Amino acid sequence: MDCRYEIKDTSKIITPQLVYYKEIIIENIRKAIDLAGSAERLWPHVKSHKTAGMVKLQMEMGIKRFKCATIAEAEMVADCGAGDILLAYPLVGPNIQRFVCLEEKYPQLRFWAIGEDYGQLALLSEESLKKGITTRVLLDVNMGMNRTGAAIESAEELYERCAGLEGITMRGFHCYDGNHNDPDPAARKEKVAKKAEVLKGIRKRLEEKKLECSVFVMGGTPSFPCHAEYPDVFLSPGTAFLQDAGYYKRLPDMDFIPAAVVLSRVVSHPSKDSFTLDLGYKGIAADPVSQRGYIVGGEEYEAVFQNEEHWVFRLKEGQEASLPEIGSVVYVIPTHICPTSALYPSIPIVEKGVVTENWEVKARNRKITV
């Protein structure tokens, strides 16, 4: 097993339990800053961890801007005193009022919303006017992922129209391209460059029309090094700081090290060549269709099936290794860390093989106070 993951005393740790390794996180933060060119350019996503502990650590290392997926995440970041907080999720329904309430509650901070629909931004405009607030807005652009965002072909016209709304101020574009995750870094870079050129033209034309369009928040973990080549944009990786087995195996060029592991224990030997962990899909993200995690140092084992509270592994064909003893601790790197983090109310933080503190996963719930 990779010794960097070994915890000296696990006797008091109830399993399954997600743990973070602080030294590796710090190493990953430094790598992200180096790739970005400076901490000032980073606008990282907090959805992967949902903890004030990570936000504060990143702030200590010079990062002041943060991106969120929920109102609760935005409130958690606000309580940390971050300078700029971007809610990178379409505001609809009661979340429009909740967002403006956040702006009202933390007037010393700069909040940013995104939008792709004139009608919903008009509602945000109305709510902002009621409170005497001018809300900063980035137009959300569909970069080809086809999940949210205005079509890039109509972005310029929509931006102009939204710029006429009172109560909001259009400031630029939010451009998440999770679809640009090709294992070949050259192919990834080429795809990013094509879209970047189109956006550059839109920006130029809008500025010629005297419209404010200075803030571009670009990319995710796979693509942010590609966007880093464009000096006038902000970069928004999320997973990179914790890294998971999914990106680690798919994108080896990224060089980020997994810093989150789920501790599990062997509870059974149902056959002579298989064993069962107490790690069902209630303890690790279930969204990967295939392998949901990898045992550290367990290359000789393969997953058989997983239920809510059980995960059965067996020896691969031709292997003659022994099975881990019943009661022994196994370390599993999740394939997808973001939903795994949300399964735990708190996360032990390991330094030099010892648990030194616990980070509350404060924003795992949909509401804190606002």
Side-chain angles (χ1 to χ4, degrees):
M1 188 186 81
D2 189 332
C3 63
R4 78 173 74 198
Y5 295 118
E6 187 173 0
I7 299 174
K8 294 176 182 177
D9 181 8
T10 59
S11 61
K12 299 294 193 298
I13 300 178
I14 300 171
T15 54
Q17 176 62 59
L18 179 66
V19 299
Y20 290 169
Y21 294 81
K22 194 170 185 178
E23 291 103 334
I24 304 177
I25 291 174
I26 291 171
E27 182 181 345
N28 287 339
I29 295 172
R30 286 179 179 146
K31 287 177 182 176
I33 292 172
D34 288 344
L35 283 169
S38 73
E40 285 294 312
R41 294 193 66 196
L42 286 171
W43 204 316
H45 212 313
V46 307
K47 70 180 180 65
S48 298
H49 56 85
K50 298 177 181 286
T51 68
M54 176 74 88
V55 171
K56 290 174 181 176
L57 179 59
Q58 290 176 327
M59 289 178 68
E60 288 171 8
M61 297 180 70
I63 299 170
K64 305 300 181 185
R65 299 174 175 86
F66 296 90
K67 181 166 133 176
C68 311
T70 68
I71 298 287
E73 289 175 9
E75 184 175 358
M76 179 268 292
V77 174
D79 283 337
C80 294
D84 291 89
I85 303 167
L86 169 61
L87 184 59
Y89 200 88
L91 289 172
V92 297
N95 279 348
I96 293 174
Q97 184 178 20
R98 292 176 71 203
F99 184 82
V100 175
C101 284
L102 269 181
E103 295 183 279
E104 195 174 31
K105 182 177 179 180
Y106 300 92
Q108 75 279 18
L109 305 180
R110 292 180 296 276
F111 288 89
W112 302 72
I114 67 166
E116 63 172 81
D117 181 80
Y118 181 86
Q120 297 304 312
L121 286 177
L123 293 175
L124 177 60
S125 165
E126 291 175 14
E127 192 64 34
S128 299
L129 286 170
K130 285 180 189 176
K131 300 291 186 179
I133 290 170
T134 300
T135 298
R136 301 170 186 82
V137 175
L138 302 179
L139 186 73
D140 190 29
V141 179
N142 182 356
M143 299 290 283
M145 195 170 182
N146 298 324
R147 187 173 67 181
T148 65
I152 199 166
E153 297 80 10
S154 61
E156 184 176 344
E157 180 183 355
L158 179 59
Y159 192 96
E160 287 186 69
R161 189 180 178 205
C162 293
L165 289 168
E166 297 182 54
I168 68 171
T169 173
M170 300 299 295
R171 302 291 294 276
F173 290 81
H174 172 255
C175 306
Y176 175 67
D177 55 356
N179 51 305
H180 292 158
N181 59 13
D182 196 294
D184 178 3
R188 209 182 311 148
K189 184 177 178 180
E190 182 181 358
K191 291 173 182 177
V192 166
K194 287 179 179 177
K195 292 291 175 67
E197 194 63 29
V198 176
L199 289 165
K200 183 179 178 181
I202 294 173
R203 181 181 198 168
K204 183 174 183 293
R205 290 190 295 273
L206 288 171
E207 289 177 340
E208 287 172 350
K209 295 172 185 176
K210 308 301 182 186
L211 292 175
E212 168 67 26
C213 187
S214 60
V215 177
F216 277 64
V217 180
M218 311 287 288
T221 290
S223 64
F224 89 93
C226 306
H227 291 289
E229 296 188 9
Y230 305 92
D232 52 353
V233 303
F234 292 101
L235 311 165
S236 58
T239 301
F241 306 100
L242 289 173
Q243 189 61 313
D244 54 26
Y247 279 158
Y248 183 71
K249 289 179 175 292
R250 181 176 175 80
L251 308 170
D253 62 291
M254 297 293 290
D255 197 32
F256 291 99
I257 305 300
V261 168
V262 181
L263 262 66
S264 178
R265 285 186 171 88
V266 178
V267 296
S268 176
H269 286 169
S271 71
K272 65 179 182 180
D273 64 350
S274 67
F275 61 94
T276 303
L277 300 179
D278 59 359
L279 180 55
Y281 48 74
K282 286 182 176 178
I284 194 168
D287 60 342
V289 176
S290 55
Q291 188 84 12
R292 293 168 178 164
Y294 295 82
I295 296 174
V296 176
E299 293 77 11
E300 63 270 36
Y301 309 125
E302 62 183 359
V304 181
F305 66 90
Q306 188 180 41
N307 300 132
E308 294 177 50
E309 308 289 355
H310 305 84
W311 200 356
V312 179
F313 286 80
R314 68 183 169 207
L315 280 172
K316 293 178 181 177
E317 188 174 346
Q319 295 287 337
E320 297 182 357
S322 59
L323 300 181
E325 294 181 3
I326 292 176
S328 62
V329 172
V330 172
Y331 299 74
V332 180
I333 300 174
T335 299
H336 194 183
I337 185 57
C338 308
T340 302
S341 294
L343 296 172
Y344 294 88
S346 65
I347 299 172
I349 307 303
V350 177
E351 297 180 74
K352 294 182 172 60
V354 177
V355 175
T356 56
E357 58 181 317
N358 278 273
W359 287 356
E360 179 188 2
V361 189
K362 189 174 184 179
R364 69 194 291 257
N365 296 317
R366 287 287 166 177
K367 178 180 176 182
I368 298 177
T369 65
V370 175

